[in-house]
Amino acid sequence: SQQGEEDPQALSIQEGENATMNCSYKTSINNLQWYRQNSGRGLVHLILIRSNEREKHSGRLRVTLDTSKKSSSLLITASRAADTASYFCATSNDYKLSFGAGTTVTVRA
Amino acid sequence: DTGVSQDPRHKITKRGQNVTFRCDPISEHNRLYWYRQTLGQGPEFLTYFQNEAQLEKSRLLSDRFSAERPKGSFSTLEIQRTEQGDSAMYLCASSSTEINEQFFGPGTRLTVL
């Protein structure tokens, strides 16, 4: 079973715009990770946020975590065509990751 | 290249045949994971090794599936008597004990005809 649930399922934006996607989960976690997957390929690790952190930045990425609401958001600023991909959140208690079904982001040139 | 590697990248087999996949983790990582991903879904956990010990197996891993990690280095995942429902992307990941930041390989896409 998958714990995380991303919203929206799909997102289409213009190059240069920001993209925001959300992740909700059900049980307590140690950390939450975001991954990107280009069509038919492996997952690329984007960012890890621990349960005692509220916000984290990495380049054009900003991740927030609200453990009281059991939710996280991923913001991609100034999107580029190369950001077109599926984005997954994954929660972790100890070792295994539980993924949602992902948000498919399309960046139009 | 010091990332996670998997071999083969693609495998097409007939129903009933056995297949074996290999994963080489990042060398300093002592944890290794196998996940399965079907179209339109996120990866689902299959099994996990810490060094050479297999510490957990998902209910998804039927008796036809077996995984090994001899000497705590590379790992193999074998599927016996493949079924069409086994068609999926099989992903391997590795991490260190200190930080559970998992790095994934490119995956092996299995098609069972």
Side-chain angles (χ1 to χ4, degrees), chain A residues 26-43:
Chain A
K26 297 171 186 169
T27 63
S28 62
I29 60 172
N30 285 343
N31 65 67
L32 185 146
Q33 304 181 43
W34 284 91
Y35 289 83
R36 183 186 75 227
Q37 185 176 39
N38 292 89
S39 181
R41 300 194 176 183
L43 283 83

Side-chain angles (χ1 to χ4, degrees), chain B residues 34-50:
Chain B
W34 286 97
Y35 293 83
R36 181 170 69 188
Q37 184 179 25
T38 53
L39 200 61
Q41 298 298 313
E44 292 180 292
F45 171 80
L46 292 180
T47 190
Y48 151 66
F49 291 84
Q50 181 148 322

Side-chain angles (χ1 to χ4, degrees), chain A residues 12-76:
Chain A
S12 180
I13 56 174
Q14 200 74 29
E15 202 167 23
E17 292 180 339
N18 295 343
T20 300
M21 60 210 85
N22 303 297
C23 169
S24 59
Y25 57 92
K26 297 171 186 169
T27 63
S28 62
I29 60 172
N30 285 343
N31 65 67
L32 185 146
Q33 304 181 43
W34 284 91
Y35 289 83
R36 183 186 75 227
Q37 185 176 39
N38 292 89
S39 181
R41 300 194 176 183
L43 283 83
V44 174
H45 189 272
L46 296 177
I47 198 162
L48 179 151
I49 186 164
R50 291 183 172 80
S51 60
N52 61 354
E53 296 176 311
R54 292 297 167 256
E55 187 171 314
K56 206 161 180 181
H57 297 254
S58 176
R60 294 183 296 112
L61 306 179
R62 173 178 166 252
V63 168
T64 64
L65 179 64
D66 186 335
T67 52
S68 67
K69 295 181 179 178
K70 291 187 170 60
S71 68
S72 174
S73 69
L74 171 67
L75 168 68
I76 305 172

Side-chain angles (χ1 to χ4, degrees), chain B residues 79-103:
Chain B
I79 309 174
Q80 296 182 325
R81 304 181 303 282
T82 52
E83 301 172 356
Q84 288 184 326
D86 298 331
S87 295
M89 175 81 90
Y90 290 84
L91 295 161
C92 175
S94 69
S95 74
S96 65
T97 310
E98 290 74 30
I99 303 173
N100 190 27
E101 196 169 292
Q102 296 187 21
F103 294 88

